[in-house]
């Protein structure tokens, strides 16, 4: 049960009900417009058949509200949006049915990457990104009925889990700017390159940080060629003749410049900022990435990206209200 639902049961007046609904939901939508969802062909009115009773921007607000209130899955989301003024403050004319919720999620699958990117652009326009990007992979647990998930090993937690993975590039105050949903937690070189290029389409940082899993020659050389310094610990297990270096860039920089020298103290200091991406992962998990309830890979991926979108919405809302964008909740 969401915190809104639990709180509403304890209220003894309509005014109190209105206050809770307003403070819990409305601030999320004060500074952002989602009308751009109407531009997508997938949401265009059908030439034949029933017209849409509920508009995509309003349903998207409904999902953001539910994820903010720790409500996940089409059935729980449909139940949450049945409550009094919750659906009203999301912009809906009446409560949507579970079929409507499921159909919207299915349609959203086709455009969720672009929706996420539009929100990233809004964060960038507000100056919420900085000159250091970090890349990391995290685990995404799935329900046992999701036949597309698989058993994976999380080396960080030193335990097995059933689910998927997600590779995220973040910057600034716990803001994800690029991501990819993967079958396993550990991303391969192809995924690392794709997500990195997506992040650079947003802006060009000075530094790109990754752990030893990103001791990938192609990744380092690509970043150096475009003028970005990659900082990832050297993994001596990748060779029978290990080099006497701490970071792979100490060796690769020689292939790109004879004049540039990198002090290890500077690399150490810069690499210590990588903990920011771990905090971003935790923040996104609080937004729903850690609670994927969908069956199937495609629906699960969409739910992960909704969580990523919510994290950006919370950061932008806090910024616009004069609060710390890194806060994981709104100040009421």
């Amino acid at each position: 049960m969401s915190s809104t639902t639990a709180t509403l049961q304890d209220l003894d007046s309509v005014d109190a009900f209105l206050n809770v609904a307003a403070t819990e939901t409305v601030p999320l939508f004060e500074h952002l417009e989602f009308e751009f969802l109407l531009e997508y062909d997938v949401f265009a009115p059908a030439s034949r058949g029933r017209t849409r009773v509920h508009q995509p921007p309003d349903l998207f607000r409904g999902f953001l509200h539910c994820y903010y209130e720790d409500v996940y899955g089409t059935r729980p989301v449909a139940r949450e949006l049945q409550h009094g003024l919750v659906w009203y403050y999301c912009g809906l004319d009446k409560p949507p049915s579970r079929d409507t919720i499921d159909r919207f999620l299915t349609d959203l699958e086709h455009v969720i990457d672009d929706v996420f990117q539009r929100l990233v652009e809004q964060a960038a326009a507000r100056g919420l990104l900085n000159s250091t990007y970090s890349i990391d992979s995290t685990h995404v647990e799935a329900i046992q009925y999701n036949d597309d998930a698989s058993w994976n090993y999380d080396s960080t937690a030193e335990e097995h889990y059933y689910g998927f993975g997600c590779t995220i590039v973040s910057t600034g105050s716990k803001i994800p700017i690029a991501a990819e949903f993967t079958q396993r937690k550990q991303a391969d070189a192809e995924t690392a390159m794709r997500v990195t290029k997506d992040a650079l389409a947003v802006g060009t940082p000075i530094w790109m940080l990754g752990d030893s899993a990103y001791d990938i020659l192609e990744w380092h050389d690509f970043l150096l060629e475009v003028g970005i310094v990659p900082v990832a610990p050297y993994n001596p297990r990748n060779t029978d003749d290990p080099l006497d270096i701490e970071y792979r860039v100490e060796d690769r920089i020689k292939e790109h410049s004879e004049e540039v020298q990198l002090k290890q103290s500077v690399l150490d200091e810069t690499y210590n900022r990588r903990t920011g991406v771990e905090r971003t992962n935790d923040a996104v998990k609080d937004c729903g990435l850690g609670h994927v309830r969908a069956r199937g890979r495609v629906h699960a991926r969409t739910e992960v990206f909704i969580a990523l979108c919510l994290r950006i919405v919370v950061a932008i809302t806090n910024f616009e209200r004069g609060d710390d964008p890194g806060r994981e909740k709104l100040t009421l």
Side-chain angles (χ1 to χ4, degrees):
M1 181 181 295
S2 75
S3 59
T4 297
T5 304
T7 304
L8 293 178
Q9 292 177 343
D10 298 330
L11 299 177
D12 55 6
S13 73
V14 174
D15 287 342
F17 177 89
L18 290 170
N19 288 335
V20 169
T23 56
E24 287 286 323
T25 304
V26 172
L28 282 176
F29 316 131
E30 284 180 343
H31 306 285
L32 288 165
E33 295 290 338
F34 302 102
E35 308 312 308
F36 64 84
L37 286 164
L38 297 172
E39 301 172 9
Y40 298 117
D41 291 341
V42 70
F43 296 129
S47 57
R48 299 177 61 183
R50 294 181 300 174
T51 58
R52 290 184 183 272
V53 176
H54 306 286
Q55 293 301 310
D58 305 330
L59 290 169
F60 190 64
R61 291 187 190 96
F63 266 96
L64 293 177
H65 160 83
C66 289
Y67 276 43
Y68 185 84
E69 294 293 341
D70 297 327
V71 177
Y72 313 102
T74 54
R75 184 178 284 110
V77 166
R79 281 200 302 265
E80 173 73 6
L81 294 180
Q82 294 291 318
H83 291 295
L85 294 181
V86 172
W87 54 263
Y88 174 79
Y89 276 112
C90 290
L92 296 160
D93 293 328
K94 64 179 182 178
S97 66
R98 184 189 172 193
D99 286 344
T100 297
I101 294 296
D102 189 69
R103 188 164 55 250
F104 173 72
L105 190 64
T106 299
D107 290 341
L108 189 62
E109 294 167 0
H110 300 285
V111 296
I112 189 61
D113 294 78
D114 195 62
V115 172
F116 170 68
Q117 199 58 45
R118 296 281 285 264
L119 292 173
V120 170
E121 290 170 1
Q122 293 196 44
R126 289 168 168 82
L128 296 181
L129 314 187
N130 63 27
S131 61
T132 301
Y133 289 2
S134 298
I135 186 170
D136 193 27
S137 298
T138 189
H139 71 281
V140 177
E141 294 188 16
I143 57 175
Q144 60 180 323
Y145 308 110
N146 192 329
D147 295 335
D148 288 344
S150 58
W151 282 102
N152 292 285
Y153 182 70
D154 185 345
S155 58
T156 303
E158 297 184 339
E159 62 183 16
H160 290 85
Y161 73 95
Y162 186 70
F164 303 96
C166 186
T167 300
I168 300 173
V169 174
S170 70
T171 186
S173 300
K174 307 177 192 174
I175 298 177
I177 59 171
E180 186 52 270
F181 185 76
T182 54
Q183 190 63 37
R184 293 175 174 78
K185 176 184 175 181
Q186 191 58 56
D188 56 22
E190 181 181 353
T191 299
M193 290 296 297
R194 184 168 61 251
V195 177
T196 297
K197 290 178 180 179
D198 287 346
L200 299 191
V202 179
T204 304
I206 297 174
W207 309 93
M208 173 70 88
L209 315 181
D211 62 18
S212 59
Y214 296 90
D215 181 15
I216 304 169
L217 294 182
E218 180 185 6
W219 186 74
H220 279 76
D221 289 341
F222 167 74
L223 289 169
L224 288 168
E225 286 172 4
V226 296
I228 300 168
V229 182
V231 185
Y234 175 65
N235 189 346
R237 290 176 294 181
N238 290 343
T239 178
D240 294 330
D241 186 19
L243 302 172
D244 185 22
I245 55 176
E246 292 293 326
Y247 301 95
R248 172 66 70 176
V249 70
E250 295 176 76
D251 174 62
R252 299 312 299 168
I253 193 69
K254 301 172 186 176
E255 302 292 327
H256 297 268
S257 175
E258 297 180 356
E259 300 177 357
V260 176
Q261 293 185 341
L262 299 172
K263 293 184 178 180
Q264 187 170 326
S265 60
V266 174
L267 294 175
D268 288 340
E269 180 181 352
T270 303
Y271 183 72
N272 287 337
R273 303 178 203 160
R274 203 194 72 83
T275 56
V277 72
E278 296 171 354
R279 291 193 293 270
T280 300
N281 291 346
D282 290 340
V284 176
K285 285 181 184 294
D286 287 342
C287 290
L289 184 139
H291 303 274
V292 175
R293 296 292 181 264
R295 296 192 183 192
R297 176 185 172 87
V298 177
H299 263 46
R301 184 180 188 276
T302 304
E303 291 191 349
V304 163
F305 270 82
I306 292 174
L308 292 165
C309 288
L310 175 59
R311 174 59 209 142
I312 299 173
V313 169
V314 170
I316 290 175
T317 302
N318 276 324
F319 170 78
E320 291 288 356
R321 301 176 83 196
D323 294 326
D324 177 9
R327 288 180 58 91
E328 296 173 17
K329 289 291 184 180
L330 305 181
T331 302
L332 301 180

